[in-house]
Amino acid sequence: MTNTSVFDRLTDIVMNSRASEAEKKEALRNIMELKGKQINVLITGSTGCGKSSTINALFNTEKAKVGASPDPETMTIEKYELDNLTLWDSPGLGDGKEADNRHAQNIIRKLNELDKDGNPLIDIVLVILDGGSRDLGTSYQLINEVIIPNIGKGMTNRILVAINQADMAMKGRYWNAEENRPEKPLEDFLKEKAESVKRRIYEATGVTVEPIYYCAGYKEEGLPQQPPYNLSKLLSYIVTNTPSEKRICYADNINKEPEMWKHDDRLDDYKEIVRSSMLESIVGSAREGSEIGEEIGSCFGTVGGIIGKIGGGIIGGIIGLGKSLLSGLFG
């Protein structure tokens, strides 16, 4: 897998195509708009829920610029900068009344922050729950009393709830360590837990969320790495709920270790969902997208536009880039 960014590859396709200079100019302008997009994800949850493990499993955090928020009011929120993706790692509730009040105020400030265009800065809020804990009271308080009332009108579909440490949900029972998956009793328990979380949030707020469960995996010194479970489902959950025009910004930052994406519940092809969703950013970037034929359309799902009204050379190149992403996105 090349280290060249997806935007550089798109630019090369345009410049090496047989398109006219006017077509190239329009396509390059749209690529620059894509390159200027920024995704901001706020990740929060109680101490020990596995926020750091989740961030490290999902993304290539080795190249991240790590630091506290530049705002002194929100310095407890750690910031990871990865090219076009910024992750905000915030403590949740459950650390005592004084700390909880401080964390809640910091989260509210971050949710009310605007970007340079006057839009809400935060695109996605991911709340991580501890699957091994029976007491989720502070997590419900965080979601129902802090996040939902402050996320903004029409933004409640951007609240994602994920139950980590699925392997510990029944104190380690019914987890098939050899195959890295839950057995039937644990699987049923996790499904019911997700439904219970959904029900509790709806009853308190009227907002519908669709919780999923996963295991971020971990590594202890002297022991083999436990690979993640359902990490691809978590990523597809995040990507598909991100504004479509920004989804491609994840592409250069995904963890490229194939083992991280190997195990899931097989209820869907989550990696294919991620790839297709990211490609929508490319083909959906046109202001006046042209209709495309069946052969080309099959490469991009239901999307009916391409980068401007452009010629076949660029279209062919973009299809080639699509195939490259399809084959190499996950290592």
Side-chain angles (χ1 to χ4, degrees):
M1 179 74 181
T2 177
N3 291 324
T4 306
S5 80
V6 65
F7 304 109
D8 291 339
R9 282 181 280 158
L10 272 171
T11 299
D12 287 343
I13 287 166
V14 171
M15 295 306 295
N16 294 320
S17 74
R18 297 187 301 274
S20 70
E21 290 304 311
E23 289 171 335
K24 288 181 180 181
K25 185 176 179 180
E26 175 66 14
L28 290 172
R29 184 161 68 90
N30 285 326
I31 292 169
M32 288 304 295
E33 284 191 14
L34 275 179
K35 192 173 182 178
K37 301 289 185 186
Q38 195 75 28
I39 300 173
N40 285 269
V41 180
L42 176 63
I43 301 175
T44 185
S46 60
T47 302
C49 70
K51 294 192 302 295
S52 296
S53 298
T54 299
I55 290 170
N56 292 331
L58 284 169
F59 302 112
N60 183 17
T61 51
E62 287 184 1
K63 67 175 184 176
K65 281 177 62 181
V66 182
S69 168
D71 184 348
E73 295 290 337
T74 57
M75 283 185 69
T76 57
I77 299 180
E78 194 166 30
K79 180 181 182 182
Y80 296 80
E81 290 185 276
L82 291 143
D83 300 323
N84 297 65
L85 171 64
T86 302
L87 307 172
W88 302 91
D89 179 359
S90 170
L93 307 184
D95 293 333
K97 187 174 181 179
E98 184 178 338
D100 284 359
N101 286 336
R102 184 170 63 253
H103 297 333
Q105 288 304 312
N106 289 341
I107 290 169
I108 290 169
R109 287 191 189 96
K110 188 55 65 179
L111 290 175
N112 287 320
E113 192 172 330
L114 303 178
D115 65 16
K116 59 182 175 59
D117 298 317
N119 299 314
L121 176 73
I122 299 300
D123 296 294
I124 291 287
V125 180
L126 174 63
V127 184
I128 299 177
L129 309 185
D130 180 355
S133 174
R134 290 186 136 189
D135 182 10
L136 296 177
T138 55
S139 295
Y140 289 126
Q141 183 183 358
L142 173 66
I143 295 166
N144 299 341
E145 299 178 20
V146 177
I147 295 173
I148 288 177
N150 291 286
I151 197 168
K153 189 175 181 181
M155 293 283 287
T156 52
N157 64 317
R158 306 279 170 81
I159 302 169
L160 312 182
V161 178
I163 304 168
N164 190 16
Q165 300 173 17
D167 56 328
M168 297 306 296
M170 296 181 74
K171 299 183 177 179
R173 290 180 294 136
Y174 301 111
W175 182 262
N176 189 324
E178 185 176 341
E179 298 181 11
N180 196 45
R181 64 171 180 81
E183 294 177 344
K184 185 70 164 55
L186 177 55
E187 187 175 34
D188 291 343
F189 180 86
L190 288 164
K191 287 178 182 177
E192 175 51 37
K193 190 158 193 167
E195 280 298 315
S196 175
V197 170
K198 176 180 177 177
R199 190 165 53 246
R200 288 279 300 271
I201 294 171
Y202 181 79
E203 288 171 354
T205 67
V207 172
T208 300
V209 297
E210 298 292 342
I212 69 160
Y213 57 86
Y214 74 104
C215 179
Y218 57 86
K219 181 172 176 57
E220 294 183 13
E221 191 172 349
L223 295 175
Q225 166 86 44
Q226 179 192 334
Y229 173 78
N230 256 0
L231 193 67
S232 56
K233 185 171 188 174
L234 176 61
L235 182 63
S236 74
Y237 187 37
I238 294 169
V239 172
T240 56
N241 283 285
T242 298
S244 59
E245 69 275 12
K246 295 185 176 185
R247 293 172 186 167
I248 194 62
C249 297
Y250 290 110
D252 291 329
N253 300 302
I254 290 174
N255 193 324
K256 296 300 190 292
E257 291 292 332
E259 188 69 17
M260 307 301 282
W261 311 102
K262 186 176 179 180
H263 305 277
D264 60 50
D265 60 20
R266 300 183 181 181
L267 295 178
D268 215 327
D269 188 342
Y270 302 115
K271 289 186 278 191
E272 180 62 32
I273 291 170
V274 169
R275 292 162 180 143
S276 298
S277 296
M278 288 184 182
L279 285 172
E280 287 183 23
S281 289
I282 300 174
V283 291
S285 68
R287 290 179 176 78
E288 301 288 340
S290 58
E291 291 299 317
I292 55 179
E294 182 178 352
E295 181 181 354
I296 295 172
S298 67
C299 296
F300 298 107
T302 59
V303 181
I306 199 105
I307 299 182
K309 293 182 176 179
I310 57 180
I314 296 178
I315 290 174
I318 288 172
I319 292 172
L321 174 62
K323 290 178 179 178
S324 172
L325 285 175
L326 290 176
S327 64
L329 189 61
F330 296 92

